[in-house]
Amino acid sequence: MKSIRMIFAATTALFAASAVHATDLEVTHWWTSGGEAAAVAELAKAFDATGNKWVDGAIAGGGSTARPIMISRITGGDPMAATQFNHGLQAQELVEAGLMRDLTGVAEKENWKDVVAAPSLLESCTLDGKIYCVPVNIHSWQWLWLSNKAFEDVGVAVPTNWEEFVAAAPKLREAGKVPLALGGQAWQRRGLFDVLLISLGGKELYNKIYQDKDAEAARSEDTAKIFKAAADAREMSEGSNVQDWNQATNMVITDKAGGQVMGDWAQGEFQVAGEVAGEDYTCLPGLGDNALLTTNGDAFYFPVLNDEEKSAAQEELASVMFDAKTQVAFNLKKGSLPIRKDVDLNAANDCMKKGLAILEKGDVIASADQLVTPDTATQIEGMFTEFFSDMSITPEDAQERFAELIENAD
């Protein structure tokens, strides 16, 4: 009896000790689709296993809606414990203002630099030699997702490149299907153009425009061909009538649309729907023409908190997000590639394997978000919103407006 009481007392003490160190952390992000929610659940599960509690702060509407809310809270003195941003310059001012926590100690202790698969993404977290965020995945935009059944229904072979996809559009239209599913948000339209620029124009043209800010390259005949392809895409997407990217993905999943140009996060939606890569749908990196991928992704920043307990839990969360097992569980659901190169990906599907092969060959380039300021990106998004919404804007007029934005880019 005495031993039972001693065991009970020890167990009670253990739970009491755990309760002292356990804390709730609010984590804000804009992952609200089915596949994204499933991926977030893996991060939450891993963090909860430490004895702490993930308090989900999802904000619907995508990054363009969520970021201003997140920034306002941080600058207004109501910070969350952790928040999502994309790589690039989105959080730089917050870091420079001393509002973000330095994670260098965690990163050095766990040798992040030795195991990261895309060093440029860890570099994007670094300012003045200090690391301020946790990169959690490698995302790439340059994918064409095709419904195999949609093409079977109209008696056309599943395209192997962009040109074949454009050629198949009239057959899809005749059968009452939308050839190209495209959401109405500005970032989707600009993203589509950037994919066309990389995949049809090639690395040199893309870098001249976005990296070198070469306005003459933006006015060139080579770029004119990209705007012609954008005009084809505009015509193919007419009647799409959806707003969110995952709604457009669902049109492909349900065979109402022939295809969608979207980042690898679309894979998460196919998986939630029970679709099998290579059987139910086809994925073409680089639109099947030029298998180059940008390496961007998501990262989590940790605002400075005046709370020792929560600050300690922030370090635990950063460690959990970068952990190899968490990386596998999260990215298999998210559709992205793990940020670590030392993980077991035997469960990877056909599309993820294609992405890994491209990454291994080094056929990667920096995303436009890493090369232009948020202000320039917003201006370009606005221009493409007008172009895709107004059929009267000619490709030539749109190209000149684009060249002017590049000429005056920060």
Side-chain angles (χ1 to χ4, degrees), residues 90-163:
Q90 293 174 358
Q92 183 171 318
E93 289 184 5
L94 297 173
V95 172
E96 290 174 338
L99 296 173
M100 291 301 188
R101 183 186 178 94
D102 179 2
L103 301 173
T104 308
V106 180
E108 290 180 347
K109 179 181 177 182
E110 299 180 356
N111 301 313
W112 289 6
K113 287 184 179 180
D114 294 335
V115 297
V116 70
S120 64
L121 297 187
L122 189 57
E123 289 166 11
S124 291
C125 288
T126 305
L127 185 67
D128 297 330
K130 296 180 179 179
I131 295 172
Y132 288 93
C133 66
V134 183
V136 294
N137 55 15
I138 302 169
H139 267 315
S140 52
W141 241 107
Q142 294 69 40
W143 295 84
L144 175 58
W145 307 92
L146 300 168
S147 163
N148 289 0
K149 188 174 187 304
F151 290 96
E152 181 183 330
D153 288 345
V154 299
V156 175
V158 176
T160 62
N161 56 36
W162 174 258
E163 292 75 16

Side-chain angles (χ1 to χ4, degrees), residues 28-32 56-63 65-67 69-70 73:
T28 56
H29 58 86
W30 55 80
W31 290 329
T32 57
D56 202 66
I59 301 173
T65 299
R67 277 190 296 272
I69 297 171
M70 295 164 173
R73 282 190 55 185

Side-chain angles (χ1 to χ4, degrees), residues 125-365:
C125 288
T126 305
L127 185 67
D128 297 330
K130 296 180 179 179
I131 295 172
Y132 288 93
C133 66
V134 183
V136 294
N137 55 15
I138 302 169
H139 267 315
S140 52
W141 241 107
Q142 294 69 40
W143 295 84
L144 175 58
W145 307 92
L146 300 168
S147 163
N148 289 0
K149 188 174 187 304
F151 290 96
E152 181 183 330
D153 288 345
V154 299
V156 175
V158 176
T160 62
N161 56 36
W162 174 258
E163 292 75 16
E164 291 178 5
F165 182 41
V166 174
K171 286 282 189 181
L172 292 165
R173 188 71 77 182
E174 287 170 15
K177 299 180 188 293
V178 174
L180 177 65
L182 177 64
Q185 294 163 324
W187 66 269
Q188 296 181 58
R189 294 167 171 193
R190 176 211 162 189
L192 169 57
F193 174 81
D194 286 349
V195 172
L196 292 169
L197 178 59
I198 294 170
S199 302
L200 305 182
K203 181 177 182 178
E204 184 178 349
L205 180 63
Y206 173 83
N207 281 337
K208 278 184 179 180
I209 291 173
Y210 277 127
Q211 183 172 284
D212 302 336
K213 314 298 188 294
D214 186 336
E216 290 311 305
R219 291 188 173 97
S220 69
E221 284 299 314
D222 288 336
T223 305
K225 294 175 184 177
I226 309 304
F227 274 89
K228 171 60 172 63
D232 289 338
R234 179 173 64 178
E235 185 175 337
M236 291 166 66
S237 65
E238 194 171 8
S240 194
N241 298 330
V242 294
Q243 185 70 7
D244 296 332
W245 70 268
N246 53 303
Q247 293 173 320
T249 306
N250 189 61
M251 292 178 68
V252 181
I253 291 170
T254 57
D255 313 312
K256 294 176 182 175
Q260 177 192 23
V261 175
M262 185 49 60
D264 53 14
W265 49 89
Q267 260 194 110
E269 302 304 300
F270 285 100
Q271 290 188 60
V272 166
E275 299 270 290
V276 178
E279 295 180 17
D280 301 305
Y281 66 98
T282 294
C283 55
L284 298 179
L287 306 183
D289 286 284
N290 198 347
L292 284 168
L293 299 179
T294 54
T295 52
N296 206 337
D298 302 289
F300 280 85
Y301 287 77
F302 297 77
V304 173
L305 302 177
N306 293 320
D307 184 312
E308 287 187 18
E309 189 177 359
K310 289 187 181 294
S311 295
Q314 283 179 316
E315 290 196 3
E316 286 190 83
L317 178 55
S319 179
V320 162
M321 286 179 165
F322 202 80
D323 177 75
K325 289 183 180 179
T326 309
Q327 276 288 301
V328 172
F330 169 73
N331 284 291
L332 285 175
K333 296 283 177 66
K334 190 69 169 63
S336 45
L337 302 178
I339 194 65
R340 300 179 65 120
K341 58 188 177 184
D342 60 346
V343 296
D344 181 6
L345 278 174
N346 287 326
N349 68 16
D350 179 63
C351 297
M352 187 179 281
K353 287 175 181 175
K354 289 180 181 178
L356 286 168
I358 294 169
L359 186 66
E360 190 174 341
K361 283 194 285 186
D363 291 336
V364 296
I365 48 181

